[in-house]
Amino acid sequence: LHQAAPQRSVPRPCVYPFLGSVDAIGFVNCYRRSAEIFAEEEQVKYFYRVVSGAVRTYKTLENGRRLITAFYVPGDAFGLETRGEHRLSGQAISASKLFLIGRSAFVARAARDSRIANQLWTHTAAELQRVQDHIRLFAMPARERVAGFLVDMAKRLSADGEVELPMVRQDIADYLGLTIETVSRSLTQLEDLEAIGIRASRHILLRNYRALVQLST
Amino acid sequence: LHQAAPQRSVPRPCVYPFLGSVDAIGFVNCYRRSAEIFAEEEQVKYFYRVVSGAVRTYKTLENGRRLITAFYVPGDAFGLETRGEHRLSGQAISASKLFLIGRSAFVARAARDSRIANQLWTHTAAELQRVQDHIRLFAMPARERVAGFLVDMAKRLSADGEVELPMVRQDIADYLGLTIETVSRSLTQLEDLEAIGIRASRHILLRNYRALVQLST
DNA sequence: CGACACTTTGACGCACTTCAAAGGGGGTGG
DNA sequence: CCACCCCCTTTGAAGTGCGTCAAAGTGTCG
């Protein structure tokens, strides 16, 4: 792991729609592949929104395993916490541009503007729903978990019937609570079932989306 | 399953501290064992707080399995959703008294009072954290999951070094993504390790709390 | 006291993990 | 631009933890 330091370009303040329709003042920052965005137990300084690239948040467990809690792609906001400390680590999966806004300023604005307060709540509730969907995957066998993961990614990343996954197999495995071998075998099975096609390891063809959805429900 | 209808006693309006220090106007309602409090896809009419008894929220999956998402004990608030529909079902585990407050009235108050808005957000964030801890359990082997469950219950229910579990083995299994047999065997193993003592099936003695915590981390 | 629901224990099978090794594929340097 | 190298991925074989099926044990309530 060659941990790259956050590549802080000149922080040019700018306005950006942050949550929903709320514009917020912040700046764009660039991160290299595998660069750390924030670490567990670190003070929460910013809220983030992905402009380009992709981000993973994760927790390192005592047994050394890594549990990836979420992937974020362009348009997604993340890093919102009510408490002062980060409970997760955040890393750039690939070279990424993020929009940052100061936490304290944003929370202060929420105290004055009930629309912003409502969006903070709504966003956290959406995150809650996402985690509940995530936990649902753990109640399924391996192939169904992988199918569910692909459906989720397809919804968020696919224009036509193809997905370009930003993450490697190890990331998928740590997200689904499986090993890379099992993820790989499950993908091969889905290909044998003609539900997907594997053009390249990260380039997935959605041959039978309906079948994927059926497996993942 | 003898589904008991909610035993609506006379709804006497009363004031009750709901979230944190916020007093709210609502009423107390009683539910029998296994009584349905709300169902999936039902309109959200109330927010709830457990006065006495215990509650489980769950989702029934396509394959017929039931995934219990949370247990709530006296003092816990639940049922808060931003959207209009319930995403989970809620049931009384044992005979329970709940404090109910109207959703729309409470949300309207939040729009006027930023402290209430903040507490809505804080509470949802706490729920998010709870689910993240829950998902962490799924990344562990069976015995460790059960240990983690016991630690959680001990924190919330134990005065001295004992816990009186409100739920049966099937509930624990559906919460941990295991079978009742595996839960039972894991508990026996924990007893063999002298981490716990099983006085009665639901009455657990915490003989070595530190060992339990170690297993669950 | 008896019936029923819940729990425990045992035996066996299977899905996933582990261990091992053989392919790709993309990026960098020559 | 090509070729090499390293990392990632795939595939195979064997081991194991948990699920499944079955039956006995336990507590509780009518």
Side-chain angles (χ1 to χ4, degrees), chain B residues 68-165:
Chain B
I68 291 186
T69 55
F71 297 113
Y72 298 98
V73 299
D76 294 341
F78 70 98
L80 271 79
E81 311 240 0
T82 46
R83 308 204 138 267
E85 280 189 4
H86 280 291
R87 305 191 57 256
L88 304 166
S89 303
Q91 244 182 6
I93 294 177
S94 55
S96 301
K97 283 198 175 73
L98 306 181
F99 179 72
L100 285 70
I101 70 166
R103 173 192 185 265
S104 55
F106 200 71
V107 170
R109 253 183 92 180
R112 292 194 309 271
D113 187 340
S114 70
R115 289 172 310 167
I116 295 188
N118 187 64
Q119 294 207 348
L120 271 185
W121 180 37
T122 302
H123 182 271
T124 301
E127 194 72 3
L128 175 59
Q129 176 169 340
R130 213 194 39 69
V131 181
Q132 283 174 339
D133 287 341
H134 187 188
I135 213 170
R136 205 171 55 83
L137 289 182
F138 280 81
M140 302 177 184
R143 191 179 49 220
E144 281 78 347
R145 288 190 210 185
V146 173
F149 167 77
L150 288 176
V151 167
D152 181 36
M153 283 300 132
K155 281 183 193 159
R156 297 161 69 187
L157 290 173
S158 174
D160 39 6
E162 308 190 9
V163 199
E164 192 69 38
L165 297 175

Side-chain angles (χ1 to χ4, degrees), chain A residues 115-181:
Chain A
R115 289 172 311 168
I116 296 188
N118 187 64
Q119 293 207 349
L120 271 184
W121 180 37
T122 303
H123 182 272
T124 302
E127 193 73 4
L128 175 60
Q129 176 169 340
R130 213 193 39 69
V131 181
Q132 282 174 340
D133 287 342
H134 186 189
I135 215 171
R136 205 171 56 83
L137 289 182
F138 281 80
M140 302 177 183
R143 191 179 49 219
E144 280 79 347
R145 288 190 211 185
V146 173
F149 167 76
L150 288 176
V151 167
D152 182 36
M153 283 300 132
K155 282 184 192 159
R156 297 163 69 187
L157 289 174
S158 174
D160 40 5
E162 309 191 7
V163 200
E164 193 68 39
L165 298 175
M167 71 289 287
V168 297
R169 296 282 182 275
Q170 187 66 62
D171 291 330
I172 302 176
D174 290 347
Y175 179 75
L176 295 176
L178 300 170
T179 60
I180 46 172
E181 293 94 333

Side-chain angles (χ1 to χ4, degrees), chain A residues 17-208:
Chain A
F18 192 69
L19 289 175
S21 58
V22 175
D23 290 345
I25 292 192
F27 58 96
V28 170
N29 206 357
C30 296
Y31 297 83
R32 289 202 287 222
R33 191 158 75 93
S34 298
E36 185 175 80
I37 299 162
F38 51 78
E40 215 169 327
E41 301 185 351
E42 203 176 279
Q43 285 300 306
V44 179
K45 286 186 189 146
Y46 301 104
F47 294 153
Y48 304 83
R49 183 167 182 170
V50 181
V51 176
S52 68
V55 168
R56 61 178 165 244
T57 52
Y58 63 94
K59 224 172 171 24
T60 304
L61 307 181
E62 312 303 312
N63 54 15
R65 288 185 56 179
R66 178 184 65 160
L67 177 65
I68 291 186
T69 55
F71 297 113
Y72 299 97
V73 298
D76 294 341
F78 68 99
L80 271 79
E81 311 239 0
T82 46
R83 308 205 138 265
E85 280 188 4
H86 280 292
R87 305 191 59 255
L88 304 165
S89 303
Q91 244 181 8
I93 293 177
S94 56
S96 302
K97 282 198 176 73
L98 306 181
F99 179 73
L100 285 69
I101 70 166
R103 172 192 186 266
S104 55
F106 200 72
V107 170
R109 253 184 92 180
R112 292 192 309 271
D113 187 340
S114 71
R115 289 172 311 168
I116 296 188
N118 187 64
Q119 293 207 349
L120 271 184
W121 180 37
T122 303
H123 182 272
T124 302
E127 193 73 4
L128 175 60
Q129 176 169 340
R130 213 193 39 69
V131 181
Q132 282 174 340
D133 287 342
H134 186 189
I135 215 171
R136 205 171 56 83
L137 289 182
F138 281 80
M140 302 177 183
R143 191 179 49 219
E144 280 79 347
R145 288 190 211 185
V146 173
F149 167 76
L150 288 176
V151 167
D152 182 36
M153 283 300 132
K155 282 184 192 159
R156 297 163 69 187
L157 289 174
S158 174
D160 40 5
E162 309 191 7
V163 200
E164 193 68 39
L165 298 175
M167 71 289 287
V168 297
R169 296 282 182 275
Q170 187 66 62
D171 291 330
I172 302 176
D174 290 347
Y175 179 75
L176 295 176
L178 300 170
T179 60
I180 46 172
E181 293 94 333
T182 302
V183 170
S184 180
R185 277 186 256 264
S186 298
L187 284 168
T188 305
Q189 285 174 38
L190 291 175
E191 192 174 30
D192 292 344
L193 292 171
E194 298 189 336
I196 63 169
I198 306 177
R199 282 235 166 147
S201 70
R202 300 203 219 168
H203 188 110
I204 306 296
L205 219 73
L206 305 164
R207 296 176 65 86
N208 190 345

Side-chain angles (χ1 to χ4, degrees), chain B residues 142 179 181-182 185:
Chain B
T179 60
E181 293 93 332
T182 301
R185 277 187 258 263

